[in-house]
Each structure stands twice: as structure tokens, then as C-alpha cells.
Amino acid sequence: MALAIALLLAGVLLPCWGEFALFKKGSTKANGARCSHHSECFSDCCLISLDSGSAFCAPRARITMTCLPQTRSAINIVCPCQVGLRCRHKDPSCSRRCRLI
């Protein structure tokens, strides 16, 4: 009985989880949308395009990707890591990369 209820809830809640996350975050912009501050983006990363000079919302860095430890200014040069990853370097001469905690 408990398994049937758990499966029913999973079937109802999981397909809507992404919509709930968007609702919870508010009216933030999706990846690819123009931005002027990282707080405008759902990912919290407003990345500057060196080619055009404009900025757009970008996803956070994945494992082994180049990263910055955290977002401090309005626009990022490199995005911070996804949740669950830390921005670290193994060798001081190499750039920081996202790694498991």
C-alpha cells in the first residue's frame, strides 16, 4: 500500500518539479536571455560575451569545467559551479575547475 502511494506521488510530483522550481525562483530569465546582473538569471550566472560585449544568462559550470569560486560582480567572465560541486584547483598553475565536494 505504501509503495503504491509513493509511486502515485512520484508520478504526479516529478513531472511538475521543474515548473515548481521556476515558480519558486520568481520571474528570472532562462539561459540565453539577455541580462545585466547575475540575479536576473535562473542559473545566477550572467555571462559576458567577449565577441559582442553583451551579456546573457548561462548555465552553471559542470564537473571538470573552468569556474570561478562565486559570483561577486554583476556580470561573470566564467560561471560558478553547479550545486554539489566546488571550484578548486589541484595545481596552482592550472585554472580552477568544478570538482565533487
Side-chain angles (χ1 to χ4, degrees):
M1 179 75 170
L3 179 61
I5 293 172
L7 290 173
L8 178 64
L9 286 174
V12 170
L13 294 177
L14 289 178
C16 302
W17 190 256
E19 293 173 15
F20 174 72
L22 286 173
F23 173 75
K24 184 178 177 185
K25 191 74 173 184
S27 61
T28 55
K29 298 178 180 181
N31 291 339
R34 288 186 179 264
C35 58
S36 59
H37 194 273
H38 63 84
S39 63
E40 297 175 9
C41 302
F42 183 75
S43 64
D44 289 324
C45 183
C46 184
L47 192 65
I48 191 163
S49 170
L50 298 177
D51 294 333
S52 65
S54 62
F56 61 94
C57 294
R60 288 180 165 250
R62 296 184 310 270
I63 193 164
T64 70
M65 290 180 68
T66 303
C67 58
L68 288 177
Q70 61 187 1
T71 299
R72 289 186 182 163
S73 63
I75 299 177
N76 299 87
I77 299 169
V78 178
C79 289
C81 296
Q82 291 178 339
V83 174
L85 300 176
R86 297 271 185 191
C87 192
R88 296 185 177 169
H89 54 78
K90 289 185 177 179
D91 182 359
S93 64
C94 296
S95 62
R96 292 174 177 258
R97 299 199 178 268
C98 294
R99 305 198 188 280
L100 289 172
I101 297 173

